[in-house]
């Protein structure tokens, strides 16, 4: 019996040590779970911010009651001996809905104005930012010449 007492005491001490380790592990698991939950919440908040940011960055002009979309125009040209194909969408913003209706009724004429300018835009390959600004000002000028006081702005929806 006296020989079993130290072994019994030793086993109790070891069991108590394991119990404290188990307690420490469960506390660590709780801390990890809490940190994981916070990280998941931060990720969710970041995804929401990213979605809002991407919505703000979207360059496409919202089509409203006074915006007339034109295109997409497909332009196929040989540039430096290579065939290049591009697509461009243009939107014209009228002063009001009555002027938009007037522009819409003359859409064939607008296509006859805008398409040659699209061809000129891609004559040298992919256009630069200054080329796009020049294109928009040329469209604005030529459409305003044909349809007086009806155009408020020219927007490029996409260039592919």
């Amino acid at each position: 019996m006296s020989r079993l007492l130290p072994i019994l005491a030793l086993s109790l001490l070891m069991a108590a040590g394991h119990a404290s380790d188990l307690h420490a592990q469960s506390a660590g698991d709780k801390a990890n779970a809490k940190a994981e939950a916070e990280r998941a919440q931060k990720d969710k908040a970041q995804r929401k911010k990213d979605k809002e940011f991407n919505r703000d960055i979207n360059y496409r002009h919202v089509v409203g009651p006074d915006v007339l979309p034109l295109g997409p125009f497909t332009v196929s040209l040989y540039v430096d001996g290579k065939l290049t194909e591009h697509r461009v969408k243009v939107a014209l913003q009228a002063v009001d809905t009555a002027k938009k209706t007037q522009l819409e009724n003359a859409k064939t004429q607008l296509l006859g104005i805008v398409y040659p300018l699209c061809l000129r835009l891609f004559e040298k390959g992919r256009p630069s930012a200054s080329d796009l600004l020049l294109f928009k000002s040329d469209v604005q000028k030529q459409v305003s010449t044909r349809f007086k006081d009806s155009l408020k702005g020219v927007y490029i929806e996409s260039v592919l």
Side-chain angles (χ1 to χ4, degrees):
M1 179 87 173
S2 64
R3 286 181 121 188
L4 289 176
L5 190 59
I7 294 174
L8 185 60
L10 185 61
S11 64
L12 284 174
L13 285 174
M14 288 179 67
H18 286 297
S20 65
D21 286 344
L22 290 175
H23 179 66
Q25 285 178 354
S26 66
D29 290 341
K30 288 179 185 176
N32 286 342
K34 184 178 179 182
E36 188 68 31
E38 288 176 2
R39 193 173 318 124
Q41 189 175 13
K42 285 181 183 179
D43 287 345
K44 184 178 178 182
Q46 185 63 42
R47 281 194 302 272
K48 185 176 179 182
K49 286 180 186 177
D50 290 346
K51 186 176 179 182
E52 290 172 6
F53 179 75
N54 289 336
R55 190 176 318 129
D56 292 341
I57 291 293
N58 193 358
Y59 292 106
R60 183 175 176 197
H61 192 268
V62 178
V63 176
D66 55 348
V67 175
L68 177 67
L70 296 176
F73 298 105
T74 302
V75 178
S76 297
L77 294 171
Y78 281 97
V79 178
D80 297 329
K82 294 181 181 177
L83 179 65
T84 60
E85 290 191 7
H86 305 280
R87 292 182 70 148
V88 63
K89 288 183 182 180
V90 179
L92 304 177
Q93 184 174 13
V95 176
D96 57 11
T97 53
K99 295 288 185 179
K100 182 202 173 204
T101 305
Q102 177 189 4
L103 290 174
E104 205 165 26
N105 291 336
K107 195 168 185 177
T108 308
Q109 293 173 358
L110 290 173
L111 295 174
I113 293 171
V114 175
Y115 186 71
L117 294 174
C118 289
L119 289 173
R120 195 176 81 194
L121 177 66
F122 293 107
E123 278 180 343
K124 299 173 189 165
R126 183 127 178 109
S128 65
S130 60
D131 292 337
L132 293 173
L133 291 173
L134 183 64
F135 169 77
K136 287 170 60 172
S137 67
D138 285 347
V139 170
Q140 174 93 26
K141 185 173 112 183
Q142 289 191 19
V143 172
S144 294
T145 301
R146 175 69 177 91
F147 303 97
K148 304 227 182 295
D149 299 326
S150 59
L151 198 60
K152 187 175 182 179
V154 177
Y155 301 97
I156 297 175
E157 291 185 38
S158 66
V159 176
L160 302 172

